[in-house]
Amino acid sequence: TTAVNHERHNSNHLFAKQLKKFRCPHCEHASPTLTKLKLHVATHINIKPFMCSICGWRANLRWYIQ
């Protein structure tokens, strides 16, 4: 049964890898959606579209602005 569990485990990894079909052009990162890939790529190219309305601090991801 250990061989069966190992095979199932490897199968799960392959399935997860197939879901991550959007590849980053700057590194080895892969994302399951284009939207998530765009968020990741923003960390490489220093685009900071989100701004704090109180102090003006800018960030590349919305959740950094609280």
Side-chain angles (χ1 to χ4, degrees), residues 2 4 11 14 16-17 19 21 24 30 34 40 45 57 60 65:
T2 303
V4 171
S11 177
L14 289 173
K17 200 172 199 179
L19 289 178
K21 59 185 177 178
C24 176
L34 184 56
H40 168 78
I45 57 178
W57 187 77
N60 59 347
I65 307 294

Side-chain angles (χ1 to χ4, degrees), residues 24-46:
C24 176
H26 304 283
C27 72
E28 296 296 317
H29 179 82
S31 295
T33 66
L34 184 56
T35 301
K36 288 184 178 184
L37 177 63
K38 286 179 180 180
L39 289 172
H40 168 78
V41 169
T43 65
H44 288 293
I45 57 178
N46 206 25

Side-chain angles (χ1 to χ4, degrees), residues 2-17:
T2 303
V4 171
N5 287 340
H6 185 69
E7 185 176 324
R8 186 178 304 137
H9 179 80
N10 285 341
S11 177
N12 288 342
H13 279 295
L14 289 173
F15 181 71
K17 200 172 199 179

